[in-house]
Amino acid sequence: NAGVTQTPKFQVLKTGQSMTLQCAQDMNHEYMSWYRQDPGMGLRLIHYSVGAGITDQGEVPNGYNVSRSTTEDFPLRLLSAAPSQTSVYFCASSYIAGGYNEQFFGPGTRLTVL
Amino acid sequence: DQQVKQNSPSLSVQEGRISILNCDYTNSMFDYFLWYKKYPAEGPTFLISISSIKDKNEDGRFTVFLNKSAKHLSLHIVPSQPGDSAVYFCAGVNTDKLIFGTGTRLQVFP
């Protein structure tokens, strides 16, 4: 099992550019989520999905879109990047919804927006 | 609006002693709490959890205490080891959402 994989590991964007952060898991988990980690702010939930075809907003969803067409994949889209989106992004998955059981995190994507 | 707060950004403890990491929350709808550990350049990993109907859960060197009336939980690590040096996040669960605190950096020195 590869677990949770994220690509790319690093990315630099210019303001206004768009991109997609990829996340995949091979554990057949129903629940997937995206977090961003910023200094002094901890991990903040961006979007989450309780199963294929179902997504919902977390604490800080503005500027991000998600979709869940398969159980395995949960991409995060930045439509028009802003410097405030400079952060480290983590994708996570778990067998059941929410945090009631262990969530498995990917290694992260470090994004810089100039 | 920070629903989960870790007021100590850092903690330094000598090897073999007890480490106590604290966490306060404001959302009374949280019904489950977890602690995650994070090493640099890696994703967080699950450490220990506790249901809101309990006041203590133990797993080896790690014990989590929950005081619902004070909306406070703590993680005790005994004895602390240099490999425990990491950032620790507490988190509360409300329905489908896991809400994290800001983290405490623990350094265990010889």
Side-chain angles (χ1 to χ4, degrees):
Chain A
N1 280 356
V4 179
T5 57
Q6 292 183 239
T7 55
K9 287 193 185 329
F10 302 94
Q11 182 70 49
V12 178
L13 292 178
K14 294 182 179 178
T15 296
Q17 287 186 315
S18 63
M19 80 159 296
T20 299
L21 278 63
Q22 301 292 344
C23 174
Q25 51 91 10
D26 61 358
M27 297 174 282
N28 202 31
H29 286 168
E30 289 296 323
Y31 185 86
M32 296 186 74
S33 54
W34 277 101
Y35 296 87
R36 57 178 289 175
Q37 183 189 10
D38 302 293
M41 302 295 291
L43 290 155
R44 292 182 292 170
L45 181 64
I46 305 172
H47 284 286
Y48 64 97
S49 169
V50 299
I54 306 169
T55 64
D56 207 343
Q57 297 181 351
E59 302 171 87
V60 288
N62 293 341
Y64 307 94
N65 275 1
V66 292
S67 60
R68 184 95 180 270
S69 55
T70 67
T71 299
E72 295 78 20
D73 301 296
F74 191 42
L76 178 72
R77 297 185 190 84
L78 283 70
L79 300 178
S80 178
S84 61
Q85 293 178 305
T86 293
S87 187
V88 182
Y89 291 84
F90 291 99
C91 178
S93 74
S94 62
Y95 182 64
I96 59 175
Y100 294 103
N101 67 334
E102 177 182 357
Q103 289 207 38
F104 293 85
F105 283 81
T109 294
R110 184 175 293 275
L111 175 68
T112 301
V113 182
L114 303 175
Chain B
D1 178 25
Q2 196 74 33
Q3 300 181 52
V4 181
K5 300 178 184 179
Q6 295 176 255
N7 293 319
S8 298
S10 64
L11 176 67
S12 188
V13 171
Q14 190 172 29
E15 181 179 4
R17 307 292 288 267
I18 184 172
S19 296
I20 300 176
L21 293 87
N22 294 304
C23 179
D24 297 295
Y25 62 96
T26 58
N27 190 340
S28 58
M29 298 300 291
F30 288 145
D31 58 359
Y32 201 75
F33 300 90
L34 305 96
W35 285 91
Y36 281 78
K37 179 168 74 172
K38 185 183 180 305
Y39 293 117
E42 295 183 9
T45 54
F46 170 75
L47 192 57
I48 192 169
S49 62
I50 187 167
S51 166
S52 62
I53 62 173
K54 295 187 174 182
D55 55 16
K56 177 182 174 180
N57 188 29
E58 200 170 345
D59 184 3
R61 297 187 296 114
F62 302 93
T63 303
V64 56
F65 295 93
L66 175 62
N67 183 334
K68 278 190 69 177
S69 60
K71 291 192 173 68
H72 178 84
L73 63 156
S74 61
L75 174 69
H76 293 209
I77 306 173
V78 183
S80 301
Q81 299 174 353
D84 296 329
S85 297
V87 177
Y88 290 78
F89 294 97
C90 66
V93 180
N94 178 13
T95 320
D96 293 332
K97 298 180 184 178
L98 183 61
I99 306 299
F100 282 88
T102 51
T104 296
R105 183 178 302 276
L106 172 66
Q107 183 178 6
V108 180
F109 59 93

